[in-house]
Amino acid sequence: MIPTITAFKSSPDRGRGLARDMTVRWALEEVGQHYDARLVSFKEMKQPEHLALQPFGQIPTYEEGELALFESGAIVLHIAEQHAGLLPEEANARARAIAWMFAAKSTIEPVIVESEVAEYLEGDKSWTEQRRPVIDDRIRDRLSQLSERLGDADWLDGAFSAADVLMVNVLRRLGGSGLLEEYPNLAAYVARGEARPAFKRAYDAQHAVFLAASDG
């Protein structure tokens, strides 16, 4: 059965592959699973039909038969558990990979999103200029810890896994800030992820939606 995901009909990231359906697309491409994408507008995301799938009115969602899921991290974990290639077979290594998935979404992403909120939603506030250095230092703290742990390894824990799908996409949100470039091993790590054929296919699929919306 071919799963169906939802994605932005008109993405606010302007086709940069930052919307959270990107991680789901990438995971599906890594395991060779075909999928359909149902595009939704911001208005449609707040309608009962979509809220029945995603109670917070966001994307992505994932439907496969009677199963409906929301939250990109949970969807990627489901994909990884259903298909070989994104989680190690050995039990301890598998558990560590899942721990890194949680780290990407719960430890690294929140401080990066805080920066995005300050820029795009609070940029006109009088206190934003004072907050910005504080937020950047919080990001640096997390990046320093991650950089030290990664060292000169190619991936987070041995072979490439679903954890890297999530972590690379989280770190990509720093593009243009200059912060990632302060940690050359993390910048190289992201570049390795972006060089994977499955990433490129996922990016192209998401970017094509932006181009179509722009032409329309």
Side-chain angles (χ1 to χ4, degrees):
M1 183 172 295
I2 297 178
T4 298
I5 68 170
T6 50
F8 286 125
K9 186 175 292 183
S10 180
S11 178
D13 76 344
R14 301 189 60 78
R16 293 186 295 152
L18 300 179
R20 286 177 173 81
D21 62 293
M22 179 66 191
T23 55
V24 177
R25 292 178 186 270
W26 185 5
L28 289 166
E29 292 288 355
E30 287 285 351
V31 301
Q33 173 62 60
H34 295 295
Y35 64 95
D36 292 325
R38 185 172 69 253
L39 305 181
V40 293
S41 66
F42 284 96
K43 181 178 180 180
E44 290 167 335
M45 289 163 58
K46 307 306 177 184
Q47 299 304 310
E49 182 181 359
H50 187 76
L51 291 173
L53 298 172
Q54 219 296 356
F56 306 106
Q58 301 171 322
I59 59 98
T61 61
Y62 175 99
E63 297 172 83
E64 187 177 15
E66 296 182 356
L67 176 65
L69 294 174
F70 62 97
E71 291 295 335
S72 58
I75 296 169
V76 170
L77 178 57
H78 171 74
I79 294 167
E81 288 180 329
Q82 297 300 309
H83 301 271
L86 281 179
L87 283 176
E89 294 185 5
E90 196 274 323
N92 288 347
R94 189 181 188 92
R96 290 194 302 271
I98 293 172
W100 275 112
M101 294 177 71
F102 277 83
K105 300 299 288 183
S106 299
T107 302
I108 305 298
E109 186 173 58
V111 292
I112 294 175
V113 170
E114 186 179 3
S115 176
E116 295 173 345
V117 170
E119 180 175 355
Y120 297 112
L121 300 182
E122 301 173 348
D124 60 341
K125 306 299 182 183
S126 60
W127 34 261
T128 298
E129 186 175 347
Q130 287 73 38
R131 276 190 73 221
R132 191 71 204 214
V134 176
I135 295 172
D136 286 351
D137 283 344
R138 289 174 183 161
I139 294 173
R140 287 188 178 95
D141 285 344
R142 290 305 188 200
L143 293 182
S144 295
Q145 293 163 335
L146 181 61
S147 174
E148 182 175 354
R149 182 58 181 264
L150 180 66
D152 59 1
D154 284 345
W155 307 114
L156 290 173
D157 194 302
F160 178 85
S161 74
D164 298 295
V165 170
L166 293 180
M167 189 67 80
V168 167
N169 272 295
V170 165
L171 294 177
R172 289 185 70 246
R173 305 187 77 86
L174 291 170
S177 70
L179 291 171
L180 189 65
E181 287 69 25
E182 295 178 15
Y183 306 88
N185 65 332
L186 295 184
Y189 167 68
V190 170
R192 278 191 295 276
E194 292 175 331
R196 293 181 69 86
F199 175 91
K200 293 180 179 180
R201 291 193 297 271
Y203 180 91
D204 288 345
Q206 193 185 68
H207 192 69
V209 175
F210 167 73
L211 294 178
S214 299
D215 291 342

